[in-house]
Amino acid sequence: MLFRSTNAEIVADYRQAKNKRAQIKILADLNATGMSVIKEILRDAGEVLPRAPLDGAQIEALYKHGLSDEKIAKEMGCSPGSIANWRKRNGGLPPNGSRAAEPSASGGLPDVCRQIYAILTALPAGSSEATRAAACELCRCLLWDEMVRNGIGLTSNESARADSP
């Protein structure tokens, strides 16, 4: 059975649909037109259309090539937050090209904070006391070195360095 709906009817049917992605295909079939025509009608009416699911294999390939979340997002047509969520769902992968993974030449406390966060979030839930202590010591050293490098809260680098490991 073929229906020729008005644009207003198409929009109303879409708004009432439980599964909006499936409804686009249904409306296209009922009106003997392509999904792109239905999508254009809906966009013209101000509807925000559901995005297609992200292709995990393509994201993984881009990630393995070293692209940052921002570059992957641009390539995939989504937000960097979507890529960050994908990384979390796939074993908590660290971001590529982040300052947390590779300290920048300029350094800076934000870089050290990212490094510390990465270290602490990588600790397994049941870590031994020795493992937690080693991670804390590493974090302390990173922070101390950055403070020394930037002269933060120190009277002189030499006197501060005497306490440093």
Side-chain angles (χ1 to χ4, degrees):
M1 179 186 278
L2 181 65
F3 294 99
R4 292 279 180 188
S5 303
T6 65
N7 289 1
E9 292 170 329
I10 290 171
V11 172
D13 287 345
Y14 176 78
R15 287 180 178 161
Q16 294 173 5
K18 195 170 197 174
N19 183 339
K20 301 220 184 278
R21 184 174 288 126
Q23 187 66 19
I24 294 170
K25 172 88 170 101
I26 292 167
L27 290 167
D29 291 344
L30 288 173
N31 290 283
T33 189
M35 288 175 49
S36 61
V37 173
I38 300 297
K39 287 178 180 180
E40 185 178 339
I41 292 168
L42 295 171
R43 280 191 201 102
D44 289 346
E47 292 297 317
V48 177
L49 302 180
R51 293 184 184 253
L54 294 176
D55 181 357
Q58 187 176 0
I59 294 172
E60 184 176 6
L62 295 170
Y63 177 82
K64 285 183 178 179
H65 278 97
L67 271 66
S68 67
D69 287 0
E70 291 78 16
K71 290 179 182 175
I72 295 171
K74 187 174 182 181
E75 183 76 25
M76 298 299 297
C78 64
S79 71
S82 295
I83 303 304
N85 288 335
W86 174 87
R87 285 188 296 95
K88 288 176 189 168
R89 286 190 309 271
N90 287 276
L93 297 169
N96 283 333
S98 76
R99 292 179 186 138
E102 298 268 338
S104 67
S106 62
L109 283 177
D111 294 335
V112 170
C113 291
R114 281 189 281 275
Q115 288 176 315
I116 291 170
Y117 179 77
I119 291 166
L120 295 177
T121 56
L123 284 175
S127 296
S128 69
E129 183 65 32
T131 300
R132 289 195 309 271
C136 287
E137 181 63 16
L138 177 59
C139 294
R140 187 187 72 77
C141 291
L142 287 168
L143 185 57
W144 186 264
D145 287 346
E146 190 59 36
M147 290 174 65
V148 168
R149 187 177 6 260
N150 291 301
I152 298 171
L154 304 173
T155 55
S156 80
N157 284 348
E158 289 182 14
S159 64
R161 200 65 174 138
D163 287 343
S164 180

